[in-house]
Amino acid sequence: MWNELLYAFQEVATLPNFLAMFAGIWGGVIIGAIPGMTGTMAVTLALPFTFYLSPVTSILLLVALYKGSTYGGSISAILIKTPGTASAACTVLDGYPLARAGKGGKALNMALISSCIGDFISNISLFFLAIPLATFALRVGPPEFFMLMAFSLTIVASISGRSLVLGIISACLGLLLATVGEDMYGSFRFALSEDMKSGLGMVPVLIGLFALPELIKMIVFRPEDNAAAMKLGDNRLTLAEFRGSIKSICRGSIIGVILGAIPGIGPSTAAFFSYSEARRTSKNGDKFGEGELEGIAASESANNGACGATMIPLLALGVPGDVITGVMLGAFMIHGLTPGPLLFQNNLGDVYALFIGILFSSVFLFVAGKATAGAFTKISRIPQTLLLPCILILCVYGIYSIGASPFDVTVLLVMGVVGFVMMLLNIPAAPFLIAFILGPMFEDNMRRSLAISRGDLGVFFQSWISWGFFALTILFVTLTIRREWKKWRSNRNADTASAS
């Protein structure tokens, strides 16, 4: 084994491989930071160029693009309240308030360090736990998936802000919007036009909901401070701030590894899940959503932790963990490699080379992040009157570039108006988004489970995994009701005291 590892190290430690990884990380960070440009787009566009590269160099380039774009999404999320990717949506909640408070650099540093640690833990897990985690992932069928989605939807209570009722209303609207289009049996719902039959794209909804309301607010209300740039302030991340977030980083990384290893979940769900757990257990839980560094640490460690883990089912079983690893599966096949158990028998040297190369990519991610953070931080110095129109142009261009679809641009603009109305009514946007993302997975796995069991609800309680998620759901709902009851009694006593 050691001889094979040494040979793999020699195969990876070459200039072409390092250049490919460095270029992939840089390209991914830049593409991920542009609203509308996704990691899927970056990996797909790079795929034709891999025809001329060796198999190991090709896969390392695509993996580097994937990781760079996942981190890059946090940059625009923090600085301009526009998540570059869906997995960075949670980062907006605390990152943008920090940027508005003149701590954009501090938020970017926390996002970078959390991303690198999550990525590194994910890579180590890929090295040592690929087979056990892939075996566990195989035991997660539609009933277990449904229970996991049900538990994930309880996150709504954590990200509802000051009003749980408004959060639930927001989540219901998100679930309703997620039903637009064709369902798994071919029936069309709310398909008012030909374009709507294929449903609404996640990226236009995401960007419209978070980015455009600020622009509309500036046009409608014309606040006096729009011409002012945000203050830079102290952007250094202190050791005490890092130590205060280390638990959330480690927990988020583990959550990312476990959920990323399950095909079909991906980094977005892992980020929301980790954010919810961090808020639930942190002593600063009440400050989440108002500019809490721990919130950024939780979401960024989880979404980057899921990146490497999505490679686990791909390499061990030949099953792509998400859309991007689906594209990578094509790259493997192009170069004559067949992911799965046979890959470990016939191409063990290439597998070790990939593992070692992916470990190197964590270092490149840190270097690229530090180098670009300073430049991106200057974005916060641009006056809002100039910055917001530029954001609108970037959003429209990014959305149109995905599929050259005017319908997607229309969805973007409509969701901007919807987000503005929600802002006026103090309805939080985050529950809407998480319900929109998780809704289709929740419905599809429920219907698949009932189809398998011919309508028998007992299918949801046939494994210990289902029981585990069910118990967690009940526990969290109980704790939420208890918390809301205490808050109501506290407010009532305060009103009584003020009246007397």
Side-chain angles (χ1 to χ4, degrees), residues 159-220:
I159 56 178
S160 293
R162 297 177 180 177
S163 173
L164 179 61
V165 174
L166 291 178
I168 292 174
I169 291 173
S170 178
C172 290
L173 291 173
L175 284 173
L176 184 64
L177 198 69
T179 61
V180 174
E182 186 178 8
D183 70 1
M184 60 182 290
Y185 293 121
S187 301
F188 293 104
R189 297 175 297 197
F190 305 110
L192 305 179
S193 68
E194 193 65 29
D195 291 315
M196 292 179 73
K197 287 184 178 179
S198 56
L200 305 180
M202 184 190 303
V203 178
V205 172
L206 165 72
I207 295 179
L209 205 58
F210 281 99
L212 297 196
E214 290 289 334
L215 178 63
I216 299 174
K217 179 183 173 184
M218 185 191 76
I219 296 172
V220 174

Short mmCIF file of all heavy atoms in Angstrom, two decimals, residues 159-220:
data_model
loop_
_atom_site.label_atom_id
_atom_site.label_comp_id
_atom_site.label_asym_id
_atom_site.label_seq_id
_atom_site.Cartn_x
_atom_site.Cartn_y
_atom_site.Cartn_z
N ILE A 159 -34.98 29.70 11.38
CA ILE A 159 -34.62 30.82 10.50
C ILE A 159 -35.80 31.74 10.24
O ILE A 159 -35.81 32.48 9.27
CB ILE A 159 -34.04 30.30 9.17
CG1 ILE A 159 -35.03 29.35 8.47
CG2 ILE A 159 -32.73 29.60 9.39
CD1 ILE A 159 -34.54 28.86 7.13
N SER A 160 -36.79 31.67 11.14
CA SER A 160 -37.98 32.50 10.96
C SER A 160 -37.83 33.89 11.53
O SER A 160 -38.73 34.72 11.38
CB SER A 160 -39.19 31.81 11.62
OG SER A 160 -39.51 30.64 10.93
N GLY A 161 -36.74 34.15 12.23
CA GLY A 161 -36.56 35.47 12.80
C GLY A 161 -37.44 35.68 14.03
O GLY A 161 -37.58 34.78 14.85
N ARG A 162 -38.07 36.86 14.11
CA ARG A 162 -38.81 37.20 15.32
C ARG A 162 -40.20 36.59 15.38
O ARG A 162 -40.81 36.57 16.44
CB ARG A 162 -38.91 38.73 15.42
CG ARG A 162 -37.56 39.41 15.56
CD ARG A 162 -37.69 40.90 15.59
NE ARG A 162 -36.37 41.53 15.71
CZ ARG A 162 -36.18 42.83 15.70
NH1 ARG A 162 -37.20 43.64 15.56
NH2 ARG A 162 -34.95 43.31 15.82
N SER A 163 -40.73 36.14 14.26
CA SER A 163 -42.10 35.61 14.26
C SER A 163 -42.14 34.23 13.61
O SER A 163 -41.87 34.09 12.42
CB SER A 163 -43.03 36.56 13.49
OG SER A 163 -44.31 35.98 13.34
N LEU A 164 -42.47 33.23 14.41
CA LEU A 164 -42.59 31.87 13.88
C LEU A 164 -43.76 31.76 12.91
O LEU A 164 -43.67 31.05 11.91
CB LEU A 164 -42.76 30.88 15.04
CG LEU A 164 -42.93 29.41 14.65
CD1 LEU A 164 -41.70 28.91 13.90
CD2 LEU A 164 -43.18 28.55 15.89
N VAL A 165 -44.85 32.48 13.19
CA VAL A 165 -46.03 32.41 12.33
C VAL A 165 -45.69 32.92 10.92
O VAL A 165 -46.02 32.29 9.92
CB VAL A 165 -47.18 33.24 12.94
CG1 VAL A 165 -48.36 33.30 11.97
CG2 VAL A 165 -47.61 32.65 14.27
N LEU A 166 -44.99 34.06 10.87
CA LEU A 166 -44.61 34.60 9.56
C LEU A 166 -43.63 33.66 8.85
O LEU A 166 -43.65 33.52 7.63
CB LEU A 166 -43.98 35.98 9.72
CG LEU A 166 -44.94 37.10 10.16
CD1 LEU A 166 -44.18 38.41 10.33
CD2 LEU A 166 -46.06 37.28 9.13
N GLY A 167 -42.77 32.99 9.63
CA GLY A 167 -41.84 32.02 9.04
C GLY A 167 -42.58 30.84 8.43
O GLY A 167 -42.24 30.37 7.33
N ILE A 168 -43.60 30.38 9.13
CA ILE A 168 -44.39 29.24 8.61
C ILE A 168 -45.16 29.67 7.35
O ILE A 168 -45.25 28.91 6.37
CB ILE A 168 -45.35 28.73 9.70
CG1 ILE A 168 -44.54 28.08 10.83
CG2 ILE A 168 -46.35 27.74 9.12
CD1 ILE A 168 -45.36 27.65 12.02
N ILE A 169 -45.70 30.89 7.37
CA ILE A 169 -46.40 31.40 6.18
C ILE A 169 -45.44 31.46 5.00
O ILE A 169 -45.76 31.04 3.87
CB ILE A 169 -47.00 32.80 6.47
CG1 ILE A 169 -48.14 32.68 7.47
CG2 ILE A 169 -47.47 33.47 5.18
CD1 ILE A 169 -48.67 34.03 7.94
N SER A 170 -44.23 31.94 5.26
CA SER A 170 -43.22 32.03 4.20
C SER A 170 -42.89 30.64 3.65
O SER A 170 -42.79 30.44 2.43
CB SER A 170 -41.96 32.70 4.76
OG SER A 170 -40.96 32.76 3.78
N ALA A 171 -42.71 29.67 4.55
CA ALA A 171 -42.39 28.30 4.11
C ALA A 171 -43.53 27.70 3.29
O ALA A 171 -43.29 27.00 2.30
CB ALA A 171 -42.09 27.44 5.33
N CYS A 172 -44.78 27.98 3.70
CA CYS A 172 -45.92 27.45 2.95
C CYS A 172 -45.96 28.03 1.54
O CYS A 172 -46.26 27.32 0.57
CB CYS A 172 -47.22 27.76 3.69
SG CYS A 172 -47.43 26.83 5.22
N LEU A 173 -45.64 29.32 1.42
CA LEU A 173 -45.59 29.93 0.09
C LEU A 173 -44.49 29.28 -0.76
O LEU A 173 -44.67 29.04 -1.96
CB LEU A 173 -45.33 31.44 0.21
CG LEU A 173 -46.48 32.27 0.82
CD1 LEU A 173 -46.03 33.71 1.04
CD2 LEU A 173 -47.70 32.22 -0.08
N GLY A 174 -43.36 28.99 -0.12
CA GLY A 174 -42.28 28.33 -0.84
C GLY A 174 -42.67 26.93 -1.30
O GLY A 174 -42.37 26.52 -2.43
N LEU A 175 -43.33 26.18 -0.43
CA LEU A 175 -43.79 24.84 -0.81
C LEU A 175 -44.79 24.91 -1.96
O LEU A 175 -44.78 24.08 -2.88
CB LEU A 175 -44.44 24.16 0.40
CG LEU A 175 -43.50 23.62 1.49
CD1 LEU A 175 -44.29 23.14 2.69
CD2 LEU A 175 -42.62 22.50 0.95
N LEU A 176 -45.68 25.93 -1.90
CA LEU A 176 -46.68 26.08 -2.97
C LEU A 176 -46.00 26.37 -4.30
O LEU A 176 -46.36 25.78 -5.33
CB LEU A 176 -47.64 27.21 -2.59
CG LEU A 176 -48.81 27.44 -3.55
CD1 LEU A 176 -49.73 26.22 -3.57
CD2 LEU A 176 -49.60 28.68 -3.16
N LEU A 177 -45.01 27.25 -4.28
CA LEU A 177 -44.32 27.60 -5.52
C LEU A 177 -43.53 26.41 -6.07
O LEU A 177 -43.35 26.26 -7.28
CB LEU A 177 -43.36 28.77 -5.27
CG LEU A 177 -42.91 29.52 -6.52
CD1 LEU A 177 -44.08 30.29 -7.12
CD2 LEU A 177 -41.78 30.48 -6.20
N ALA A 178 -43.06 25.54 -5.17
CA ALA A 178 -42.29 24.36 -5.60
C ALA A 178 -43.14 23.35 -6.36
O ALA A 178 -42.61 22.48 -7.05
CB ALA A 178 -41.64 23.69 -4.40
N THR A 179 -44.47 23.46 -6.24
CA THR A 179 -45.34 22.50 -6.94
C THR A 179 -45.59 22.88 -8.39
O THR A 179 -46.19 22.09 -9.13
CB THR A 179 -46.70 22.39 -6.22
OG1 THR A 179 -47.34 23.67 -6.24
CG2 THR A 179 -46.53 21.94 -4.77
N VAL A 180 -45.14 24.06 -8.79
CA VAL A 180 -45.37 24.50 -10.19
C VAL A 180 -44.61 23.57 -11.14
O VAL A 180 -43.44 23.25 -10.94
CB VAL A 180 -44.90 25.95 -10.38
CG1 VAL A 180 -44.99 26.34 -11.85
CG2 VAL A 180 -45.71 26.90 -9.53
N GLY A 181 -45.32 23.14 -12.19
CA GLY A 181 -44.67 22.30 -13.21
C GLY A 181 -45.16 20.86 -13.19
O GLY A 181 -46.22 20.55 -12.63
N GLU A 182 -44.36 20.00 -13.78
CA GLU A 182 -44.73 18.59 -13.93
C GLU A 182 -44.31 17.80 -12.70
O GLU A 182 -43.18 17.94 -12.21
CB GLU A 182 -44.04 18.02 -15.18
CG GLU A 182 -44.46 16.60 -15.52
CD GLU A 182 -43.78 16.11 -16.79
OE1 GLU A 182 -42.88 16.84 -17.28
OE2 GLU A 182 -44.13 15.03 -17.28
N ASP A 183 -45.22 16.96 -12.19
CA ASP A 183 -44.85 16.13 -11.05
C ASP A 183 -44.26 14.80 -11.53
O ASP A 183 -44.10 14.56 -12.72
CB ASP A 183 -46.04 15.91 -10.11
CG ASP A 183 -47.11 15.02 -10.74
OD1 ASP A 183 -46.90 14.55 -11.89
OD2 ASP A 183 -48.13 14.77 -10.10
N MET A 184 -43.93 13.91 -10.59
CA MET A 184 -43.23 12.68 -10.95
C MET A 184 -44.08 11.71 -11.77
O MET A 184 -43.55 10.80 -12.39
CB MET A 184 -42.73 11.97 -9.68
CG MET A 184 -43.82 11.59 -8.71
SD MET A 184 -43.15 10.83 -7.22
CE MET A 184 -42.57 9.27 -7.88
N TYR A 185 -45.41 11.92 -11.79
CA TYR A 185 -46.27 11.04 -12.59
C TYR A 185 -46.71 11.69 -13.90
O TYR A 185 -47.59 11.18 -14.59
CB TYR A 185 -47.50 10.65 -11.77
CG TYR A 185 -47.15 9.75 -10.59
CD1 TYR A 185 -47.45 10.12 -9.29
CD2 TYR A 185 -46.52 8.53 -10.80
CE1 TYR A 185 -47.13 9.30 -8.21
CE2 TYR A 185 -46.19 7.71 -9.74
CZ TYR A 185 -46.49 8.10 -8.45
OH TYR A 185 -46.15 7.30 -7.40
N GLY A 186 -46.15 12.87 -14.21
CA GLY A 186 -46.44 13.50 -15.50
C GLY A 186 -47.62 14.44 -15.48
O GLY A 186 -48.03 14.92 -16.55
N SER A 187 -48.20 14.73 -14.32
CA SER A 187 -49.31 15.69 -14.24
C SER A 187 -48.74 17.10 -14.10
O SER A 187 -47.71 17.30 -13.45
CB SER A 187 -50.19 15.37 -13.03
OG SER A 187 -50.71 14.05 -13.11
N PHE A 188 -49.44 18.05 -14.69
CA PHE A 188 -48.98 19.44 -14.65
C PHE A 188 -49.79 20.23 -13.61
O PHE A 188 -51.01 20.09 -13.54
CB PHE A 188 -49.13 20.10 -16.03
CG PHE A 188 -48.21 19.51 -17.05
CD1 PHE A 188 -48.70 18.63 -18.02
CD2 PHE A 188 -46.86 19.81 -17.04
CE1 PHE A 188 -47.85 18.07 -18.96
CE2 PHE A 188 -46.00 19.26 -17.99
CZ PHE A 188 -46.50 18.39 -18.94
N ARG A 189 -49.05 21.04 -12.83
CA ARG A 189 -49.71 21.84 -11.80
C ARG A 189 -49.33 23.31 -11.98
O ARG A 189 -48.15 23.62 -12.11
CB ARG A 189 -49.31 21.35 -10.41
CG ARG A 189 -49.74 19.91 -10.14
CD ARG A 189 -49.24 19.41 -8.82
NE ARG A 189 -47.79 19.37 -8.77
CZ ARG A 189 -47.10 18.67 -7.86
NH1 ARG A 189 -47.74 17.96 -6.95
NH2 ARG A 189 -45.78 18.69 -7.87
N PHE A 190 -50.31 24.17 -11.96
CA PHE A 190 -50.10 25.62 -12.13
C PHE A 190 -49.28 25.93 -13.38
O PHE A 190 -48.55 26.92 -13.41
CB PHE A 190 -49.41 26.22 -10.90
CG PHE A 190 -50.12 25.93 -9.61
CD1 PHE A 190 -49.57 25.08 -8.68
CD2 PHE A 190 -51.34 26.52 -9.33
CE1 PHE A 190 -50.21 24.81 -7.48
CE2 PHE A 190 -52.00 26.27 -8.13
CZ PHE A 190 -51.44 25.42 -7.21
N ALA A 191 -49.40 25.10 -14.38
CA ALA A 191 -48.65 25.32 -15.63
C ALA A 191 -49.46 26.25 -16.52
O ALA A 191 -50.17 25.82 -17.44
CB ALA A 191 -48.38 23.98 -16.32
N LEU A 192 -49.34 27.54 -16.26
CA LEU A 192 -50.13 28.53 -16.98
C LEU A 192 -49.54 28.85 -18.35
O LEU A 192 -50.19 29.49 -19.17
CB LEU A 192 -50.23 29.82 -16.16
CG LEU A 192 -50.79 29.64 -14.73
CD1 LEU A 192 -50.82 30.98 -14.01
CD2 LEU A 192 -52.18 29.02 -14.77
N SER A 193 -48.32 28.45 -18.59
CA SER A 193 -47.70 28.65 -19.90
C SER A 193 -46.82 27.45 -20.21
O SER A 193 -46.58 26.59 -19.34
CB SER A 193 -46.86 29.93 -19.91
OG SER A 193 -45.74 29.77 -19.07
N GLU A 194 -46.31 27.39 -21.44
CA GLU A 194 -45.48 26.26 -21.85
C GLU A 194 -44.21 26.20 -21.02
O GLU A 194 -43.73 25.13 -20.65
CB GLU A 194 -45.15 26.41 -23.34
CG GLU A 194 -44.56 25.17 -23.98
CD GLU A 194 -45.54 24.00 -24.01
OE1 GLU A 194 -46.77 24.23 -24.07
OE2 GLU A 194 -45.05 22.85 -23.97
N ASP A 195 -43.64 27.38 -20.72
CA ASP A 195 -42.40 27.42 -19.93
C ASP A 195 -42.59 26.92 -18.51
O ASP A 195 -41.69 26.33 -17.92
CB ASP A 195 -41.85 28.86 -19.90
CG ASP A 195 -41.33 29.30 -21.26
OD1 ASP A 195 -40.63 28.50 -21.89
OD2 ASP A 195 -41.65 30.43 -21.67
N MET A 196 -43.78 27.15 -17.97
CA MET A 196 -44.03 26.77 -16.57
C MET A 196 -44.20 25.27 -16.39
O MET A 196 -44.20 24.76 -15.27
CB MET A 196 -45.27 27.51 -16.03
CG MET A 196 -45.06 29.01 -15.90
SD MET A 196 -46.52 29.88 -15.29
CE MET A 196 -46.50 29.39 -13.56
N LYS A 197 -44.36 24.54 -17.51
CA LYS A 197 -44.54 23.08 -17.40
C LYS A 197 -43.30 22.39 -16.84
O LYS A 197 -43.39 21.33 -16.24
CB LYS A 197 -44.88 22.49 -18.78
CG LYS A 197 -46.29 22.81 -19.24
CD LYS A 197 -46.60 22.12 -20.56
CE LYS A 197 -48.04 22.40 -20.99
NZ LYS A 197 -48.36 21.76 -22.29
N SER A 198 -42.14 23.01 -17.05
CA SER A 198 -40.91 22.41 -16.52
C SER A 198 -40.55 22.97 -15.15
O SER A 198 -39.47 22.68 -14.62
CB SER A 198 -39.76 22.64 -17.51
OG SER A 198 -39.61 24.02 -17.78
N GLY A 199 -41.44 23.76 -14.57
CA GLY A 199 -41.21 24.28 -13.22
C GLY A 199 -40.36 25.55 -13.22
O GLY A 199 -39.93 26.03 -14.26
N LEU A 200 -40.14 26.08 -12.04
CA LEU A 200 -39.36 27.30 -11.88
C LEU A 200 -37.94 26.95 -11.48
O LEU A 200 -37.73 26.10 -10.61
CB LEU A 200 -40.00 28.21 -10.82
CG LEU A 200 -41.47 28.58 -11.05
CD1 LEU A 200 -41.97 29.47 -9.93
CD2 LEU A 200 -41.67 29.25 -12.40
N GLY A 201 -36.97 27.60 -12.11
CA GLY A 201 -35.57 27.33 -11.79
C GLY A 201 -35.20 27.80 -10.40
O GLY A 201 -35.68 28.84 -9.93
N MET A 202 -34.33 27.05 -9.76
CA MET A 202 -33.93 27.41 -8.39
C MET A 202 -33.12 28.71 -8.37
O MET A 202 -33.33 29.57 -7.49
CB MET A 202 -33.09 26.29 -7.78
CG MET A 202 -32.71 26.54 -6.33
SD MET A 202 -31.49 25.37 -5.73
CE MET A 202 -32.31 23.83 -6.01
N VAL A 203 -32.22 28.87 -9.33
CA VAL A 203 -31.32 30.03 -9.30
C VAL A 203 -32.07 31.35 -9.50
O VAL A 203 -31.86 32.32 -8.76
CB VAL A 203 -30.19 29.86 -10.33
CG1 VAL A 203 -29.30 31.07 -10.35
CG2 VAL A 203 -29.38 28.60 -10.01
N PRO A 204 -33.00 31.46 -10.50
CA PRO A 204 -33.75 32.72 -10.62
C PRO A 204 -34.56 33.05 -9.37
O PRO A 204 -34.62 34.21 -8.95
CB PRO A 204 -34.66 32.46 -11.82
CG PRO A 204 -34.01 31.39 -12.60
CD PRO A 204 -33.31 30.53 -11.61
N VAL A 205 -35.17 32.03 -8.77
CA VAL A 205 -35.95 32.27 -7.55
C VAL A 205 -35.04 32.73 -6.43
O VAL A 205 -35.34 33.70 -5.70
CB VAL A 205 -36.70 30.98 -7.15
CG1 VAL A 205 -37.35 31.16 -5.77
CG2 VAL A 205 -37.76 30.62 -8.19
N LEU A 206 -33.90 32.06 -6.28
CA LEU A 206 -32.95 32.38 -5.21
C LEU A 206 -32.44 33.81 -5.32
O LEU A 206 -32.50 34.60 -4.36
CB LEU A 206 -31.78 31.39 -5.28
CG LEU A 206 -30.51 31.72 -4.51
CD1 LEU A 206 -30.75 31.55 -3.03
CD2 LEU A 206 -29.37 30.83 -4.97
N ILE A 207 -31.97 34.19 -6.51
CA ILE A 207 -31.38 35.51 -6.69
C ILE A 207 -32.45 36.60 -6.66
O ILE A 207 -32.25 37.67 -6.07
CB ILE A 207 -30.57 35.54 -8.00
CG1 ILE A 207 -29.38 34.57 -7.89
CG2 ILE A 207 -30.09 36.93 -8.32
CD1 ILE A 207 -28.54 34.49 -9.12
N GLY A 208 -33.59 36.31 -7.27
CA GLY A 208 -34.67 37.29 -7.24
C GLY A 208 -35.13 37.59 -5.83
O GLY A 208 -35.42 38.74 -5.47
N LEU A 209 -35.17 36.58 -5.01
CA LEU A 209 -35.68 36.73 -3.65
C LEU A 209 -34.74 37.50 -2.75
O LEU A 209 -35.18 38.24 -1.87
CB LEU A 209 -35.93 35.33 -3.07
CG LEU A 209 -36.96 35.18 -1.96
CD1 LEU A 209 -38.32 35.68 -2.40
CD2 LEU A 209 -37.04 33.72 -1.53
N PHE A 210 -33.43 37.34 -2.96
CA PHE A 210 -32.47 37.96 -2.05
C PHE A 210 -31.85 39.25 -2.61
O PHE A 210 -31.57 40.17 -1.86
CB PHE A 210 -31.35 36.97 -1.72
CG PHE A 210 -31.74 35.96 -0.68
CD1 PHE A 210 -32.12 34.69 -1.05
CD2 PHE A 210 -31.75 36.29 0.66
CE1 PHE A 210 -32.49 33.75 -0.11
CE2 PHE A 210 -32.12 35.36 1.61
CZ PHE A 210 -32.49 34.09 1.24
N ALA A 211 -31.60 39.29 -3.91
CA ALA A 211 -30.84 40.41 -4.46
C ALA A 211 -31.70 41.60 -4.86
O ALA A 211 -31.38 42.74 -4.56
CB ALA A 211 -30.03 39.92 -5.66
N LEU A 212 -32.81 41.35 -5.57
CA LEU A 212 -33.56 42.46 -6.15
C LEU A 212 -34.36 43.30 -5.16
O LEU A 212 -34.56 44.50 -5.40
CB LEU A 212 -34.49 41.93 -7.25
CG LEU A 212 -33.80 41.27 -8.45
CD1 LEU A 212 -34.75 41.13 -9.61
CD2 LEU A 212 -32.58 42.08 -8.89
N PRO A 213 -34.87 42.74 -4.06
CA PRO A 213 -35.63 43.59 -3.13
C PRO A 213 -34.85 44.82 -2.64
O PRO A 213 -35.43 45.89 -2.47
CB PRO A 213 -35.95 42.63 -1.97
CG PRO A 213 -36.02 41.29 -2.61
CD PRO A 213 -34.96 41.32 -3.66
N GLU A 214 -33.53 44.68 -2.43
CA GLU A 214 -32.74 45.83 -1.99
C GLU A 214 -32.74 46.92 -3.06
O GLU A 214 -32.80 48.12 -2.75
CB GLU A 214 -31.30 45.39 -1.70
CG GLU A 214 -31.15 44.53 -0.47
CD GLU A 214 -31.38 45.31 0.81
OE1 GLU A 214 -31.16 46.53 0.79
OE2 GLU A 214 -31.79 44.70 1.81
N LEU A 215 -32.66 46.51 -4.33
CA LEU A 215 -32.66 47.48 -5.43
C LEU A 215 -34.01 48.18 -5.53
O LEU A 215 -34.08 49.42 -5.67
CB LEU A 215 -32.33 46.75 -6.74
CG LEU A 215 -32.33 47.61 -8.00
CD1 LEU A 215 -31.26 48.67 -7.91
CD2 LEU A 215 -32.12 46.75 -9.23
N ILE A 216 -35.08 47.42 -5.41
CA ILE A 216 -36.43 48.01 -5.48
C ILE A 216 -36.64 48.96 -4.30
O ILE A 216 -37.23 50.04 -4.44
CB ILE A 216 -37.49 46.89 -5.50
CG1 ILE A 216 -37.29 46.00 -6.73
CG2 ILE A 216 -38.89 47.48 -5.49
CD1 ILE A 216 -38.19 44.78 -6.77
N LYS A 217 -36.13 48.55 -3.15
CA LYS A 217 -36.25 49.40 -1.96
C LYS A 217 -35.56 50.75 -2.18
O LYS A 217 -36.08 51.80 -1.80
CB LYS A 217 -35.62 48.67 -0.76
CG LYS A 217 -35.65 49.45 0.54
CD LYS A 217 -34.94 48.66 1.62
CE LYS A 217 -34.80 49.48 2.90
NZ LYS A 217 -34.03 48.71 3.92
N MET A 218 -34.39 50.71 -2.83
CA MET A 218 -33.66 51.96 -3.08
C MET A 218 -34.44 52.84 -4.04
O MET A 218 -34.50 54.07 -3.87
CB MET A 218 -32.28 51.63 -3.67
CG MET A 218 -31.40 52.84 -3.86
SD MET A 218 -29.94 52.49 -4.83
CE MET A 218 -30.63 52.42 -6.47
N ILE A 219 -35.07 52.22 -5.06
CA ILE A 219 -35.81 53.01 -6.05
C ILE A 219 -37.06 53.61 -5.43
O ILE A 219 -37.40 54.78 -5.66
CB ILE A 219 -36.18 52.10 -7.26
CG1 ILE A 219 -34.91 51.64 -7.97
CG2 ILE A 219 -37.11 52.82 -8.21
CD1 ILE A 219 -35.16 50.60 -9.04
N VAL A 220 -37.75 52.83 -4.60
CA VAL A 220 -39.03 53.28 -4.05
C VAL A 220 -38.85 54.30 -2.93
O VAL A 220 -39.48 55.35 -2.91
CB VAL A 220 -39.83 52.06 -3.55
CG1 VAL A 220 -41.11 52.51 -2.83
CG2 VAL A 220 -40.19 51.14 -4.71
#
